[in-house]
Amino acid sequence: MSSSNAGREAVSPGRWVVAGHCYVVATPIGNLADISERAILVLRGVDFIACEDTRHARVLLNHLGVQKELVALHEHNERGASEAIRRRLEAGESVALISDAGTPAISDPGEVLVRVLADGEVPVVPIPGASAVIAALSASGLPGRPFWFEGFLPPQGKARRERLAELAEVEATLAFYEAPHRIVKSVAACAEGLGGSRPAVLARELTKRFEQIARGSLAELAEQLASGEIPARGEFVVLVGPGEAGEAGDAVDADVLIGLLVDEGVAPKTIARVVSRTTSRSRNAVYAEVLARREDAPNS
Ligand code: SAM
């Protein structure tokens, strides 16, 4: 059986590093001060560093004053590079694995390397630190137990809809990563597929200058993104609180609700506000629907 050998005496440079070990080192997700002291000591002590993008890694390592051999390990070479790293560790070298940001192997390369090393009974030691999903969840106020980390949704509309239909059955806080160029469509799709009334949080640019934590219903946040009130720029974690048990899509039928409120003579703006808060329909879409119904009404 392999073990981390946490208490064993160090035999390679520095007492923080043991020969033949792999250290999975978390790095900052924006604010460089978020790196741990132990992470720095390990990066200084290992023989070489495996990283996602060597140019990107150099920026952080230069900032830390660490000069080491860098080996690229990314989604296109992960298998081959992992085997090569395993052979070096078996020969007595030590390695630190880092990714472009946050914790390696969390929606980032590293999983294959860790499996190859574990299969070869090479010790793997986590050096914990920042991860966007945990940072977002910790400041969200949404239930953290249970939570479901989904990572990135499929980019294509049909595959995304199908995956969201499956996730609508999961009774947990859902956590997604999303790229800025897809965030508007993705959150709109979440509102449509999971139910616009579910509580949600958009955690944008965590630990950076324009950090923003926006709270509201999924429908409200989708609308704020679509209107530009929340800028579709930077990095996002999307958190969706649990819905009612077994809830899939809206609990209330938007068309029925609009019809009832129009019949009651409620003002279009009020209808738009109420319906967008209780269903996945956006405020603008509801407003347009109300005006269209009024025009169609027999005595309008
Ligand atoms: N391994 C990383 C971690 O532990 O968080 C995640 C890497 S994944 C390729 C990149 C995604 O993480 C981004 O698209 C975004 O969804 C999220 N992310 C990374 N940094 C972030 C930040 N500072 N604020 C919000 N989300 C962030």
Side-chain angles (χ1 to χ4, degrees):
M1 284 292 283
S2 64
S3 78
S4 71
N5 291 340
R8 232 172 66 176
E9 208 179 307
V11 285
S12 72
R15 67 191 180 90
W16 296 95
V17 172
V18 178
H21 281 45
C22 170
Y23 296 85
V24 182
V25 179
T27 60
I29 56 169
N31 189 325
L32 291 180
D34 286 337
I35 190 138
S36 78
E37 203 174 332
R38 186 170 169 222
I40 298 171
L41 291 163
V42 165
L43 290 170
R44 287 200 183 129
V46 290
D47 294 306
F48 66 102
I49 296 172
C51 60
E52 199 177 347
D53 177 326
T54 52
R55 275 179 304 178
H56 194 107
R58 283 259 183 254
V59 176
L60 173 71
L61 296 171
N62 285 344
H63 170 80
L64 300 175
V66 174
Q67 292 204 325
K68 289 280 154 162
E69 177 196 351
L70 298 183
V71 169
L73 180 109
H74 44 70
E75 56 176 334
H76 305 295
N77 77 345
E78 200 169 352
R79 183 90 225 168
S82 296
E83 294 292 351
I85 291 170
R86 180 179 57 77
R87 286 192 292 275
R88 288 181 69 169
L89 295 194
E90 284 170 352
E93 289 188 271
S94 56
V95 67
L97 168 68
I98 61 173
S99 62
D100 283 352
T103 302
I106 306 300
S107 287
D108 260 343
E111 198 178 307
V112 174
L113 173 65
V114 171
R115 214 172 313 123
V116 164
L117 297 180
D119 288 348
E121 306 217 341
V122 175
V124 178
V125 183
I127 309 292
S131 187
V133 60
I134 299 299
L137 194 61
S138 71
S140 72
L142 295 171
R145 222 172 34 143
F147 84 92
W148 175 292
F149 176 58
E150 177 69 6
F152 292 94
L153 279 166
Q156 311 83 359
K158 183 166 180 283
R160 185 166 53 203
R161 274 194 302 281
E162 286 171 2
R163 183 64 189 143
L164 284 167
E166 290 166 354
L167 291 172
E169 302 299 321
V170 176
E171 289 170 27
T173 293
L174 307 176
F176 302 96
Y177 282 165
E178 195 46 282
H181 63 283
R182 279 202 280 266
I183 190 72
V184 176
K185 277 193 176 161
S186 198
V187 174
C190 284
E192 188 87 34
L194 301 172
S197 55
R198 282 177 72 162
V201 168
L202 295 183
R204 187 171 84 88
E205 292 287 84
L206 291 171
T207 78
K208 302 186 200 177
R209 185 163 169 218
F210 296 108
E211 180 178 87
Q212 180 180 16
I213 298 185
R215 299 176 169 85
S217 71
L218 254 179
E220 283 168 340
L221 293 175
E223 185 162 308
Q224 287 168 21
L225 272 170
S227 70
E229 196 179 323
I230 298 173
R233 282 194 302 277
E235 306 204 76
F236 284 87
V237 179
V238 180
L239 298 173
V240 182
E244 296 299 313
E247 180 187 16
D250 294 338
V252 182
D253 185 305
D255 290 321
V256 172
L257 190 55
I258 293 171
L260 288 171
L261 295 170
V262 168
D263 290 349
E264 289 294 320
V266 178
K269 272 192 175 170
T270 309
I271 299 179
R273 195 173 60 245
V274 169
V275 177
S276 68
R277 280 193 181 160
T278 44
T279 73
S280 56
R281 259 340 134 79
S282 76
R283 200 181 290 200
N284 289 344
V286 176
Y287 191 76
E289 172 70 22
V290 173
L291 296 189
R293 283 185 191 228
R294 284 177 139 203
E295 275 170 21
D296 289 346
N299 54 358
S300 66

